[in-house]
Amino acid sequence: MAVSAFVLLILTFICGTQPAKWTDSLPDGSLKYACAGDNVHIPWNFALSASESLDDVQWFYQGRSSEMIAVLTHGNFLPLPSFSHRVHFIPNGGIIVDHVTVQDSGNYSVEISGHGDSGTFFRIKRTIILQVGADLMTTDGHLHVSENPMAVLDKRTDQWSIELHCGTFTYLGQPPFDVEWMTPSGKLMSSSTYKDGQFKLLVSAPVQGGNYSCRIPVLSISTACLPDGNGANKGKATYILDQTESRLTLLEAHQTALQKENDALKSENFLLKNSDSNLFDRLHLLEARTSHHVSFHARNLRNTSIQHDSPLIVDHVIINQGNCYSTSTGKFTAPFNGTYFFIGTSGSLATGQTGQFELTVEGQQISFVSTRDNGPLDAASVHGVVHLTQGDTVWLKVSSGIEFWSAATSFSGFLVSPDS
Ligand SMILES: *[C@@H]1O[C@H](CO)[C@@H](O)[C@H](O)[C@H]1NC(C)=O
Ligand SMILES: *[C@@H]1O[C@H](CO)[C@@H](O)[C@H](O)[C@H]1NC(C)=O
Ligand SMILES: *[C@@H]1O[C@H](CO)[C@@H](O)[C@H](O)[C@H]1NC(C)=O
Ligand SMILES: *[C@@H]1O[C@H](CO)[C@@H](O)[C@H](O)[C@H]1NC(C)=O
């Protein structure tokens, strides 16, 4: 309580000595545009508190020269000779400069001085930068229409369009003007957008080739700083749009967009599938880990002519608890450390040929069998109980290639006990 009262006291003290305040909406250093011949009003306004008194107001110009414009003292407004007939005082602090010329461009400032509480002196100062144009207010004094080499998507119609630009304006006057467009068939159009000094017209399919013109409306000619008469010509520019080329540009844009959309769809689909299968595998692994239900049995060979060192891949799955057996590789992957049992059976199909295969853990032989078909079909099995570390793979490896007997081939396994 005591502290806040103290702070309040300090604030009151500081505020009490605060000098005059600006009440207009022209921030210090604002840029103001005008056309040659305009009467320029600079609406500087300030307020004094009841205990403050005004000593004087002084205005300065800084540009092609540095000089004082006028002074207000004891209620008398006194312009200096070079401004005597063309500057007027507007209470309180503002001025009007009549019939400005390009030479009048520069910085205008005002300084207000007075006395506040207990005789303290104050001075406040403000500047605006005046830019006077005597021609078209564009970056190079001319008006140009150009074409965006890229087609643009018109958000309102969702159609690819040719974009024409008209500008580049540095000032649009107050109130700002909009240019008028005319199509080759004589239709008047207004701009679609305005950005960074450029008015933009979107021409959508079917593109009409020919003469497009952009012009400053006659009523706005003076705002654009163009003198009447030949000003009307300066305030206008044309562009010949090539119909064939434009239609081609639109087609290309459309094509590219479709391609991108397609690619995006494909990669989205891919991601979806990928994350799905990831999710699927992870879900099964989680399930296997928590329930410890791991077992599989599959039969029938996908390919019966198997080369030396390749896996026997059985792809008709009867059971696959925990989803640890893969039909694409023919391998079982241990979901966690533990003891497992496996058995694999196969035989040769052709008479008189020796089929050999083995049970492997990470490609290392656990058990081996050889089967010789002496006439009727014949089969043999490999089996083993092994301790596996999470991630180990177990599969049936062919030691010597023959034509294997699909229907007699199977591969099974299950978890005996997990490591605790
Ligand atoms: C006018 O004011 C601007 C901004 O305060 C300053 O950068 C510039 O140098 C001034 N020009 C002249 C001629 O004093
Ligand atoms: C384009 O049209 C403008 C008027 O709309 C005209 O002044 C100009 O000569 C025309 N240009 C061509 C090449 O037709
Ligand atoms: C079966 O495997 C052999 C040897 O690896 C290969 O040449 C053949 O193309 C495969 N056949 C099929 C249908 O996949
Ligand atoms: C699984 O076994 C390996 C090798 O023996 C060991 O490094 C690892 O820590 C074990 N993992 C768990 C979860 O017990």
Side-chain angles (χ1 to χ4, degrees), residues 53 75 77 111 123 130 175 212 218 223 247 256 270 276 283 288-289 312 318 326 329 331 354 385 395 412:
S53 64
F77 181 69
E111 274 184 37
R123 181 193 308 248
L130 180 69
Y212 284 79
V218 176
T223 323
R247 291 190 174 182
T256 311
F270 175 77
D276 255 356
L283 210 66
R289 282 200 179 137
L312 282 166
I318 314 259
S326 158
T329 60
K331 296 179 179 177
T354 306
V385 173
W395 49 287
S412 334

Side-chain angles (χ1 to χ4, degrees), residues 166-346:
C166 178
T168 307
F169 291 95
T170 51
Y171 176 55
L172 297 179
Q174 237 2 288
F177 60 80
D178 184 2
V179 295
E180 281 171 356
W181 293 87
M182 194 185 273
T183 68
S185 58
K187 194 174 157 203
L188 276 177
M189 314 246 318
S190 48
S191 307
S192 313
T193 50
Y194 172 82
K195 195 173 177 229
D196 300 333
Q198 302 261 14
F199 286 100
K200 295 172 183 180
L201 178 73
L202 291 177
V203 183
S204 55
V207 172
Q208 187 186 9
N211 195 343
Y212 284 79
S213 69
C214 156
R215 64 170 195 150
I216 298 163
V218 176
L219 285 177
S220 304
I221 288 286
S222 59
T223 323
C225 296
L226 284 171
D228 294 338
N230 78 340
N233 279 335
K234 274 207 107 171
K236 180 170 178 176
T238 61
Y239 182 80
I240 314 281
L241 192 62
D242 186 303
Q243 179 161 313
T244 315
E245 206 177 296
S246 303
R247 291 190 174 182
L248 209 61
T249 305
L250 290 187
L251 268 178
E252 279 169 0
H254 201 171
Q255 184 95 31
T256 311
L258 276 180
Q259 186 65 46
K260 271 192 193 145
E261 215 167 89
N262 206 9
D263 288 352
L265 264 178
K266 269 190 201 152
S267 74
E268 200 169 281
N269 212 358
F270 175 77
L271 278 178
L272 214 64
K273 269 191 192 154
N274 240 17
S275 66
D276 255 356
S277 79
N278 265 340
L279 212 61
F280 188 75
D281 285 351
R282 281 165 56 196
L283 210 66
H284 275 276
L285 197 59
L286 198 69
E287 196 181 272
R289 282 200 179 137
T290 48
S291 68
H292 288 145
H293 287 163
V294 179
S295 67
F296 75 98
H297 178 66
R299 58 178 301 198
N300 294 4
L301 284 170
R302 170 184 306 166
N303 186 349
T304 56
S305 347
I306 304 152
Q307 282 177 354
H308 181 68
D309 279 350
S310 297
L312 282 166
I313 304 179
V314 285
D315 62 2
H316 178 60
V317 171
I318 314 259
I319 188 173
N320 196 3
Q321 280 187 308
N323 205 42
C324 300
Y325 173 71
S326 158
T327 54
S328 60
T329 60
K331 296 179 179 177
F332 170 90
T333 306
F336 39 77
N337 295 357
T339 307
Y340 298 81
F341 173 79
F342 298 94
I343 181 163
T345 302
S346 194

Side-chain angles (χ1 to χ4, degrees), residues 336-337 387-390 419-420:
F336 39 77
N337 295 357
H387 182 264
L388 300 178
T389 299
Q390 179 180 335
D419 287 1
S420 52

Side-chain angles (χ1 to χ4, degrees), residues 134-180:
D135 206 338
L136 194 58
M137 294 287 269
T138 57
T139 47
D140 64 354
H142 296 280
L143 193 60
H144 306 276
V145 178
S146 57
E147 180 185 348
N148 184 343
M150 309 287 286
V152 177
L153 190 63
D154 186 343
K155 300 249 161 50
R156 297 164 304 180
T157 60
D158 208 27
Q159 284 205 344
W160 287 97
S161 308
I162 297 289
E163 191 182 58
L164 298 181
H165 296 177
C166 178
T168 307
F169 291 95
T170 51
Y171 176 55
L172 297 179
Q174 237 2 288
F177 60 80
D178 184 2
V179 295
E180 281 171 356

Side-chain angles (χ1 to χ4, degrees), residues 5-18:
F6 180 64
V7 169
L8 197 68
L9 198 73
I10 289 179
L11 279 177
T12 316
F13 180 68
I14 292 171
C15 293
T17 61
Q18 180 101 347

